[in-house]
Amino acid sequence: MYGKDIIRKKRDGNELSKDEISFLIQGYVKDEIPDYQIAAFLMSIYLQGLTTKETVFLTEELITSGKVIDLSSIPGKKIDKHSTGGVGDKVSLVLAPLVASLGVNVPMISGRSLGHTGGTLDKLESIHGFQTNLSVDKFIKNIREVGVCIIGQTEEITPADKKLYSLRDATSTVESIPLIASSIMSKKIASGLDSLVLDVKTGNGAFLKDFNQSISLAKQMIEIGKGMQKDVVALITDMNQPLGKMVGNATEVVECIETLKGEGPNDLVELTVTIGTHMLKLAKICDNLDTGKEMLHKALKNGKAYETFIKMVIQQGGDEGYLSEMKNKAISKNAREVLAANDGYVNTIDTYKMGTAARILGAGRDKINDKIDHSVGYEVLAKLGDRIGHKQPLVKIFYNDENRYNQAESLIKDAYKISSEPSHIPPLIYEVLDDKYYGKTSSGPLKFSSSSLVSILG
Ligand code: URA
């Protein structure tokens, strides 16, 4: 088999066999297939798509490039959450310790910044000492002792996704349903979970801007999960503006700490709690969503969630003392406000441009080996529907480089559209795809067509 022939086959829109996908993916992990061939392969998938069968094969190859973690020695349900990616989307940092404080085991394998969106691992690494590259044994130990551990893909766990993820980020091949579905589901299945809640973003700051595309992505992931006997619930949620107020890395951690102490912004709290209720319900810790909501709000207010966050930080090598200093020490001192050009209501925020602005400031990467500047980012001072006056601040930018500031400022100015009439504010949560949702539809859940995924786990 030759890489060139397989790439050409996909480039021309033909279906690949399991062996062909395996040849490229396993060869890439072993450094037998070069980056440039895989970059071309990714672009051919981006342009031609993959059939469901190919997506399942790709997911299998990503999973079997490493180990599937066995968490059976830990009592209780293991439930995780994953977002398809957004701007200011810091939910995982709050949610994971929050639900763990109520008894859910959360084995979380997360990602770094991707495209115009931020990454959970980069955000956590803005805490001095925090380690996201742990061995499987340490991962299991932490879940047993604290109930939660957040790591990235490693040499042991989905190493193929680790390499492809960075390559997709640097080659603009992120926005593809089969690539997103296989990337997310491979990590999640490999983590050893029982059930999963997916936050599938839709809107101008999501990888899939169109609602129906977001539904298709959710269904593909549910289909893959069901094929592996995992319960998967997917929420379709809004990404037409940054979530919460802070965007960046240290900036977002500071907002998470406030949220874990019961002082978070409404949209971040509402989304976190809603996803959390589904996790509690899947774990059978609450009977219904209303009780779950109450328990979660209480844990945010009474310090239980923050306590678990601190334990998680310490277990992963982070400096507990640094957390209280982050607001003053971890965020760049150079700050300037972007002002509104006219008065009116915030009508539209182009969230793709907002995310790109954060990347250009240094919060994300252009090339694979770029170093992140954890101290840069911005605070969103005007959200959709807000009434603002002429020259009132829209955004406060934290920066370290004048040239990068100028580019980010120009993108942010362009992103905001102010109108004279109050505008429509999109709902935060559009749809929940769970068993009830499928009960409502005539076709029922998508049926998994391949038995091969099931067979890997025996
Ligand atoms: N999160 C992932 O892990 N992978 C993607 O492709 C997108 C979001």
Side-chain angles (χ1 to χ4, degrees), residues 139-369:
F139 183 66
I140 296 173
K141 179 175 182 282
N142 287 4
I143 297 164
R144 183 175 288 115
E145 290 175 4
V146 183
V148 54
C149 188
I150 305 180
I151 59 169
Q153 316 93 317
T154 66
E155 298 312 311
E156 284 181 282
I157 306 300
T158 56
D161 182 58
K162 184 179 166 84
K163 288 186 85 174
L164 285 183
Y165 192 95
S166 309
L167 194 59
R168 286 169 60 214
D169 181 39
T171 54
S172 291
T173 49
V174 175
E175 299 92 337
S176 149
I177 291 181
L179 291 178
I180 298 173
S182 56
S183 164
I184 292 179
M185 293 310 288
S186 61
K187 283 192 281 290
K188 299 288 120 176
I189 304 281
S191 76
L193 52 68
D194 299 311
S195 316
L196 173 65
V197 181
L198 292 164
D199 181 2
V200 180
K201 301 288 185 198
T202 196
N204 64 24
F207 290 128
L208 300 172
K209 295 171 182 29
D210 173 65
F211 180 77
N212 291 324
Q213 290 265 302
S214 305
I215 292 273
S216 296
L217 172 60
K219 285 183 173 175
Q220 277 237 354
M221 292 194 285
I222 290 171
E223 188 172 3
I224 293 170
K226 280 193 183 294
M228 310 263 325
Q229 286 91 46
K230 309 290 176 194
D231 290 318
V232 183
V233 172
L235 282 73
I236 312 291
T237 75
D238 188 63
M239 189 32 68
N240 283 296
Q241 59 182 331
L243 188 64
K245 291 188 172 171
M246 294 298 198
V247 177
N249 291 293
T251 46
E252 292 197 33
V253 172
V254 168
E255 186 168 47
C256 289
I257 293 171
E258 284 164 5
T259 307
L260 282 156
K261 289 179 172 176
E263 284 159 20
N266 292 341
D267 56 350
L268 176 60
V269 173
E270 188 187 334
L271 184 57
T272 306
V273 166
T274 305
I275 297 171
T277 55
H278 288 282
M279 293 175 79
L280 292 187
K281 190 144 178 281
L282 285 165
K284 302 203 179 349
I285 288 174
C286 67
D287 300 333
N288 62 64
L289 298 178
D290 287 340
T291 321
K293 220 171 228 185
E294 241 173 71
M295 292 167 76
L296 291 157
H297 278 295
K298 199 165 155 202
L300 286 174
K301 290 280 176 207
N302 67 12
K304 226 172 148 174
Y306 186 60
E307 215 175 272
T308 305
F309 176 75
I310 301 269
K311 283 187 195 157
M312 176 185 85
V313 168
I314 295 170
Q315 285 284 70
Q316 297 199 227
D319 176 356
E320 182 193 352
Y322 186 65
L323 294 176
S324 55
E325 299 175 6
M326 282 189 74
K327 195 167 184 171
N328 294 324
K329 293 205 177 146
I331 301 173
S332 172
K333 291 281 171 289
N334 301 311
R336 224 184 291 166
E337 289 173 341
V338 180
L339 307 180
N342 54 293
D343 65 358
Y345 296 89
V346 178
N347 182 285
T348 312
I349 303 176
D350 183 330
T351 314
Y352 172 77
K353 285 188 181 148
M354 297 294 283
T356 305
R359 174 174 67 73
I360 287 173
L361 285 168
R365 300 171 180 81
D366 178 43
K367 296 192 257 342
I368 288 176
N369 294 324

Side-chain angles (χ1 to χ4, degrees), residues 28-62:
Y28 183 44
V29 174
K30 289 186 219 136
D31 287 330
E32 290 165 6
I33 306 278
D35 271 358
Y36 55 82
Q37 284 197 317
I38 299 299
F41 179 53
L42 291 172
M43 190 56 85
S44 70
I45 294 176
Y46 175 89
L47 295 169
Q48 293 288 359
L50 289 180
T51 62
T52 301
K53 217 159 135 191
E54 288 175 309
T55 308
V56 168
F57 292 152
L58 176 59
T59 310
E60 286 178 339
E61 292 308 321
L62 299 181

